[in-house]
Amino acid sequence: MISALVYGDDGVSAYEETALDAARDADGTTWVRTTAAEEFERVAEAFGVHPLSVEDVRNDARPKAEEYDEYTFVVVRVATLRAGEQVFEEEVQTRPVGLCFGDDWLVTLTRRELEPINYVWNAIEREEPRMLRFGPDFVAYRVIDRIVDEYFGLLDEVGEEIELIEDIILEGPDPEVLEGLNAVRRDLLSFRKTVWPTREAVGVLARGDPDYVRESTEKYYRDVYDHLVELVDLTETYRDLARGARDIYLNTLSQSTNEVMKTLTVVATIILPLTLVVGIYGMNFDPGASAFNMPELGWAYGYPATMLGMALVSAVLLVYFRRESWL
């Protein structure tokens, strides 16, 4: 689908897909957007957009900013968290946005409708029609700024997941928690691959390197650049938190294993002397054959004395282990 907005002397006028040439030739500042990949070539041909720019959007190229003879080309990515079927299965999903802007026109190329572009588009139609008066580079800034603002919301969701995982870890180790931590770390790595090149691309615009970024707009791009620097720092912070939560999980699991091993050791230590006594008196030597063959077997109190001795040994060991805080 192709649609266009033109800001002229009479305000903002909307053009449908069939009036693409009229929108291109209209006096004023023009913004044309397409949300279907099959329409890219048509829009590109109408505004002289190089095929390489179209190819970058089709192939989901990394964020970047490039200068062409007739326009400036910028690729950024809209990032969202896609919910999974299980807990902690959210996944960062990115979609490319191509922005081409010249002296008095802006073209946005996307493969589907995206909220940041719809937000700015609706703002021009309903609330801020004069936004186009500030030039296509300013409208491109508003789109990029909206995309970057949504990055903060995504990081907030990831941060809440990390806090939830930490609370679960404190209650006790759970294999599902480790899967969740690995998923969060993958999300942060994927997000980092989006934010870092976006910062570089916006940095090019903030310095005013492209000819089609006016000096009056550079300060706005510098503001977006500052936000991206903050996002990079937050991403690294959350990666450290996720790494720390993973270490806490492994330490908690190790401590739990140690507690089990300690309990088993105490039980084995108590049973060992009892097993020794039972083993000795289970050899069945005949006392009648020799005076040295377990004469106590003929003692009337031999069995009670043996049981009492075994009980005393167990009691002494239990008291010792409790004093040593093993129990």
Side-chain angles (χ1 to χ4, degrees):
M1 177 180 177
I2 300 174
S3 52
L5 292 176
V6 178
Y7 181 82
D9 296 335
D10 299 328
V12 173
S13 302
Y15 289 78
E16 297 301 327
E17 181 175 349
T18 55
L20 178 60
D21 293 338
R24 178 196 60 194
D25 298 332
D27 293 332
T29 303
T30 301
W31 178 10
V32 175
R33 69 169 183 173
T34 175
T35 56
E38 57 270 16
E39 300 288 354
F40 285 178
E41 282 75 11
R42 181 184 171 194
V43 175
E45 183 179 355
F47 287 87
V49 175
H50 198 281
L52 288 177
S53 300
V54 175
E55 182 180 346
D56 283 339
V57 180
R58 285 188 184 277
N59 296 336
D60 197 6
R62 72 192 299 270
K64 62 180 179 178
E66 294 180 340
E67 180 77 2
Y68 287 84
D69 293 337
E70 301 297 330
Y71 65 94
T72 296
F73 174 61
V74 183
V75 177
V76 291
R77 290 178 182 172
V78 173
T80 55
L81 270 181
R82 184 182 64 181
E85 297 180 358
Q86 304 294 329
V87 181
F88 307 127
E89 277 194 357
E90 290 85 355
E91 179 183 0
V92 173
Q93 189 175 51
T94 61
R95 300 185 184 278
V97 177
L99 300 103
C100 309
F101 55 90
D103 285 327
D104 58 358
W105 58 271
L106 166 67
V107 169
T108 54
L109 305 173
T110 61
R111 295 196 292 263
R112 57 175 295 177
E113 289 195 8
L114 299 174
E115 193 279 335
I117 294 181
N118 288 340
Y119 177 85
V120 179
W121 185 276
N122 293 334
I124 293 176
E125 278 192 316
R126 302 171 186 174
E127 302 171 6
E128 304 176 66
R130 292 190 299 173
M131 187 190 304
L132 281 170
R133 179 172 62 88
F134 296 107
D137 54 337
F138 182 81
V139 179
Y141 145 74
R142 288 294 299 269
V143 172
I144 296 173
D145 183 58
R146 181 66 181 180
I147 291 173
V148 171
D149 286 344
E150 290 191 348
Y151 289 170
F152 284 100
L154 185 149
L155 274 186
D156 287 342
E157 292 185 45
V158 174
E160 291 174 359
E161 281 193 17
I162 295 176
E163 291 179 1
L164 176 60
I165 289 173
E166 288 177 341
D167 293 339
I168 296 176
I169 289 175
L170 294 178
E171 296 176 0
D174 186 340
E176 188 176 284
V177 172
L178 185 58
E179 296 178 7
L181 280 172
N182 290 333
V184 168
R185 294 178 67 189
R186 287 194 301 269
D187 290 343
L188 290 171
L189 179 60
S190 176
F191 185 70
R192 185 176 183 271
K193 291 179 179 179
T194 295
V195 173
W196 272 82
T198 302
R199 184 183 67 168
E200 296 174 3
V202 173
V204 172
L205 303 176
R207 292 191 300 269
D209 294 345
D211 294 335
Y212 294 99
V213 176
R214 293 172 299 170
E215 185 176 352
S216 59
T217 313
E218 291 176 14
K219 57 179 175 291
Y220 296 105
Y221 283 110
R222 285 197 294 269
D223 181 66
V224 178
Y225 181 82
D226 291 340
H227 291 168
L228 287 165
V229 171
E230 182 180 355
L231 283 166
V232 170
D233 292 340
L234 282 174
T235 302
E236 296 303 320
T237 299
Y238 283 138
R239 289 185 70 192
D240 291 339
L241 288 175
R243 191 180 301 112
R246 185 173 183 271
D247 291 340
I248 293 174
Y249 171 83
L250 295 177
N251 290 336
T252 303
L253 184 62
S254 177
Q255 183 178 0
S256 177
T257 303
N258 290 339
E259 290 294 329
V260 172
M261 293 301 297
K262 184 170 68 174
T263 301
L264 293 176
T265 301
V266 169
V267 173
T269 303
I270 293 174
I271 291 177
L272 181 61
L274 307 184
T275 304
L276 177 62
V277 172
V278 172
I280 291 175
Y281 285 101
M283 290 188 291
N284 297 322
F285 286 105
D286 184 8
S290 171
F292 299 103
N293 288 348
M294 299 182 180
E296 64 272 19
L297 292 180
W299 183 33
Y301 301 102
Y303 176 74
T306 302
M307 297 301 294
L308 179 60
M310 294 170 65
L312 287 174
V313 170
S314 300
V316 170
L317 289 174
L318 285 172
V319 171
Y320 172 77
F321 289 138
R322 185 170 293 277
R323 289 183 59 185
E324 295 295 326
S325 300
W326 280 34
L327 292 175

